Amino acid sequence: MHYKELKAAWAELTAPGAPFEIETIKVRGNEIRSYKNAPPTVRAIWLSTAAYGEREYIVYQDERMTYAQAHRDVAAIAAWLTAQGVKRGDRVAIAMRNYPEWMLIYWACVSVGVAVVGMNAWWVTEEMEYALNDSAPKVVFADAERLARILERPEMAGGAKLVGVRCESLPEWVVPYADVVKDGGALPDVAVDPDADACIFYTSGTTGFPKGAQLTHRGCVSNLFNMMFSGQVQGLATMRATGIDPASVPAPPIPASLLTTPLFHVTANNCGAYATTAGGGKMVLMYRWDAGEALKLIEREKITAMSGVPVMSRELLTHPDFGKYDLSSLASLGGGGAQLQPDLVAKIDTEVKTARPNTGYGMTETCGIITSVSADFFVDKPASCGPAMPSFEVKCVDDDGNAVPQGQIGELWVKGAPVIKGYINRPEATAESITDGWLHTGDVARIDEDGFIFIVDRKKDMVLRGGENVYCAEVEATIHHHPAVAECCVFGVPDPRLGEEVGVAVVLRPGQTLTADEVRDHCAAHISKHKVPRYVWFLDESIPRNASGKFLKRHLRDTLKPEAAA
């Protein structure tokens, strides 16, 4: 493969005076790598897209919106927020599925220095209440389903003003979204600090409570530049290795992206939406994921890139109608949120003639991607998630935090501009996760001689179900609240579609009875449905433990068979 050319192209694009020149700056007391030519804030990125005017920007079902229309509504939302007394440094929550309004509210907030709180649309009432109390937003924009949950306990909103989006009827004290945008207005001229929070995205916590990660403007912009760099460096290396003059290659078509994952995650928002918007492209949103509908949209909207969790690409390729649609516009197919299995990399490369496989490995805590790999480099190393992007330093460390030699396995630590500021209201969690600017990813990895990273295992106690992190401790805490349960242990069960499903071994109190469905119903009342165990085993004896008293989860995985679950 063309690793020599990749190294040369990398050095050329990041050199002094080059578009992706890297500089070392001091942020929060730590020296970090950052892009010298990056815009200072997300506001600057949004303002730059006004030049795209009448280009189509957002498509949702039969609705279509141009950049000019989006800028009009974004300015109106920002002006309305300012009139309500929402000021720089405040927070605004968005609790809705992937409607066009999600993105318009997001751009309006970040353009005036207001941090967006991304509310997980899967959360039940208790989870929403926790996040609203934790983040204390001044305004909450909610669709009908999420608003109904808030209205179950109106006090959870605190003093926040509620705005109903796409709601047929509203209490008189809830503002209709139409009233927010009806009077228009100019985008307020606000100076935004590059190291201010752009958004608060919640990531599940090992203590059972989600943590609000503080993604800064600098971090979000750096992630965008990482994505732009990845496409350019691998393309340039491949062209030079195959003798193609880059100057002779025609400009690519205007991007058209199918966003398949929730906008309250960095995968869809920071990676999908940012990249498409900055490039003047078209974003196509779905009400919910459906492979058959995705095939129709790819053909109808001439989609050039679809990114989601790996199961989505797999379901697209195996759909019975796969051969009935024209997918020739697709240039890229893949995703993140979980490892793309090597067989899927090969299937994408062979079954979609125009599309090349791609993936990125990242975290909420890095505002998006840490690594990225595509095309020939991915096909050549399908088990790798690619090299770390230029704005990162990376190392694998042992249990004492000491770097291990190249090629050896250790926990992956990363440092750079995209690393979050910390977790709101959680100084202890911040201190545990970030050491002198180095983020502990919780993933065990090795780095090969070409700088490509291979994720080997997870150090965290977590199930990765269809790209959603499910922390075992949270599910265990919920199940332990049931009076019939003496002890329980939650772990991941391999699943060909979702990567992993949630499984739990349960020991009941003497004289108590409980069914698997009763366990699930109990969980569903307190946690999101994707966290509810699919597999439930009832054990007659105590769960096996090691010498330090920890459950032997690997032993349970190996001995408890899915077909034997209750």
Side-chain angles (χ1 to χ4, degrees):
M1 263 305 296
H2 321 304
Y3 297 106
K4 179 180 177 183
E5 289 81 2
L6 179 64
K7 186 175 181 180
W10 195 292
E12 179 181 331
L13 290 175
T14 58
F20 297 96
E21 178 181 352
I22 290 292
E23 63 177 355
T24 299
I25 61 174
K26 201 162 195 176
V27 177
R28 296 186 289 277
N30 298 304
E31 290 191 345
I32 61 169
R33 295 165 64 83
S34 186
Y35 288 105
K36 186 173 183 178
N37 300 316
T41 64
V42 181
R43 173 187 169 95
I45 292 173
W46 175 247
L47 290 177
S48 72
T49 66
Y52 299 127
E54 295 308 314
R55 279 194 195 179
E56 281 193 325
Y57 178 40
I58 299 178
V59 174
Y60 174 71
Q61 297 183 348
D62 60 351
E63 303 172 25
R64 312 185 87 84
M65 173 177 281
T66 66
Y67 276 85
Q69 292 169 325
H71 272 267
R72 178 198 64 204
D73 284 1
V74 166
I77 296 165
W80 181 86
L81 288 171
T82 301
Q84 304 305 308
V86 180
K87 60 187 183 300
R88 185 175 56 186
D90 287 339
R91 299 180 186 130
V92 166
I94 306 177
M96 67 178 77
R97 62 170 65 244
N98 283 15
Y99 291 130
E101 291 87 350
W102 208 109
M103 287 309 312
L104 303 177
I105 297 163
Y106 181 90
W107 294 126
C109 291
V110 295
S111 293
V112 292
V114 172
V116 171
V117 179
M119 302 281 286
N120 190 318
W122 289 24
W123 280 342
V124 296
T125 304
E126 289 181 11
E127 292 166 310
M128 292 185 71
E129 183 172 27
Y130 171 80
L132 289 173
N133 289 335
D134 187 52
S135 61
K138 293 293 182 68
V139 178
V140 180
F141 290 86
D143 63 14
E145 189 176 353
R146 263 47 62 178
L147 184 61
R149 293 176 196 168
I150 294 174
L151 294 181
E152 289 176 19
R153 300 180 190 170
E155 65 277 8
M156 77 165 70
K161 187 178 290 291
L162 295 180
V163 179
V165 181
R166 297 184 182 242
C167 300
E168 292 184 3
S169 61
L170 293 170
E172 61 180 19
W173 46 275
V174 177
V175 179
Y177 177 78
D179 288 358
V180 173
V181 296
K182 69 178 182 180
D183 294 330
L187 186 70
D189 186 9
V190 177
V192 181
D193 181 353
D195 294 303
D197 296 343
C199 49
I200 309 294
F201 282 170
Y202 277 86
T203 179
S204 294
T206 54
T207 61
F209 294 107
K211 298 177 291 186
Q214 299 170 275
L215 286 65
T216 66
H217 282 255
R218 188 189 305 277
C220 293
V221 172
S222 293
N223 178 67
L224 172 63
F225 264 56
N226 280 334
M227 296 190 64
M228 294 163 57
F229 173 82
S230 175
Q232 290 193 34
V233 72
Q234 294 182 60
L236 180 60
T238 301
M239 284 187 285
R240 290 193 173 159
T242 52
I244 298 174
D245 180 4
S248 69
V249 177
I254 295 172
S257 300
L258 181 62
L259 296 191
T260 59
T261 52
L263 285 165
F264 52 77
H265 281 334
V266 293
T267 303
N269 188 76
N270 290 44
C271 298
Y274 266 67
T276 305
T277 304
K282 174 174 66 177
M283 284 193 302
V284 180
L285 307 178
M286 301 180 74
Y287 181 76
R288 64 166 60 91
W289 167 251
D290 178 87
E293 180 65 17
L295 289 168
K296 295 176 186 176
L297 290 172
I298 291 169
E299 179 181 87
R300 188 186 83 192
E301 302 295 337
K302 300 291 185 285
I303 297 297
T304 60
M306 189 193 96
S307 180
V309 292
V311 65
M312 294 175 175
S313 295
R314 192 178 292 278
E315 289 183 352
L316 201 74
L317 297 178
T318 57
H319 194 277
D321 293 337
F322 175 73
K324 298 179 182 179
Y325 291 93
D326 178 6
L327 309 182
S328 60
S329 60
L330 267 182
S332 175
L333 182 63
Q339 183 102 7
L340 236 70
Q341 298 89 348
D343 76 292
L344 183 55
V345 177
K347 283 184 171 69
I348 292 171
D349 204 42
T350 57
E351 296 186 24
V352 186
K353 293 180 181 178
T354 56
R356 304 306 306 277
N358 78 87
T359 195
Y361 156 73
M363 306 172 67
T364 303
E365 286 86 347
T366 56
C367 296
I369 63 171
I370 296 170
T371 73
S372 180
V373 65
S374 62
D376 289 347
F377 294 100
F378 198 10
V379 174
D380 189 55
K381 296 188 181 190
S384 172
C385 56
M389 293 295 95
S391 61
F392 286 106
E393 296 173 72
V394 297
K395 61 182 178 181
C396 291
V397 304
D398 59 23
D399 289 341
D400 296 321
N402 300 313
V404 301
Q406 182 201 301
Q408 291 192 15
I409 290 173
E411 183 185 2
L412 184 67
W413 285 16
V414 301
K415 182 181 182 183
V419 171
I420 61 168
K421 183 186 297 183
Y423 302 105
I424 60 169
N425 307 322
R426 303 287 285 276
E428 300 86 359
T430 300
E432 288 173 8
S433 298
I434 303 173
T435 302
D436 298 329
W438 287 94
L439 173 72
H440 312 182
T441 68
D443 289 311
V444 179
R446 65 179 176 86
I447 305 173
D448 74 5
E449 67 279 2
D450 298 311
F452 279 58
I453 294 173
F454 294 74
I455 304 299
V456 177
D457 203 348
R458 283 196 300 278
K459 194 172 182 179
K460 301 175 190 173
D461 188 13
M462 181 181 80
V463 176
L464 189 56
R465 181 190 182 275
E468 289 279 350
N469 295 346
V470 179
Y471 280 86
C472 299
E474 178 183 12
V475 183
E476 289 168 352
T478 299
I479 296 173
H480 273 125
H481 278 299
H482 195 290
V485 174
E487 61 182 26
C488 67
C489 178
V490 173
F491 53 92
V493 180
D495 183 83
R497 179 174 176 270
L498 296 171
E500 287 182 307
E501 276 278 17
V502 181
V504 60
V506 178
V507 177
L508 298 178
R509 295 182 183 277
Q512 297 292 319
T513 60
L514 198 63
T515 67
D517 282 341
E518 287 172 336
V519 171
R520 297 185 189 103
D521 289 344
H522 169 76
C523 290
H526 301 283
I527 55 178
S528 305
K529 61 183 179 182
H530 68 286
K531 303 173 186 175
V532 174
R534 176 179 176 184
Y535 300 101
V536 181
W537 294 268
F538 292 101
L539 306 186
D540 295 328
E541 299 178 350
S542 294
I543 296 171
R545 303 168 185 259
N546 63 14
S548 61
K550 294 182 179 179
F551 290 138
L552 297 175
K553 297 201 175 195
R554 188 175 296 277
H555 172 75
L556 292 175
R557 270 192 212 100
D558 293 343
T559 57
L560 296 178
K561 303 303 179 185
E563 59 271 18

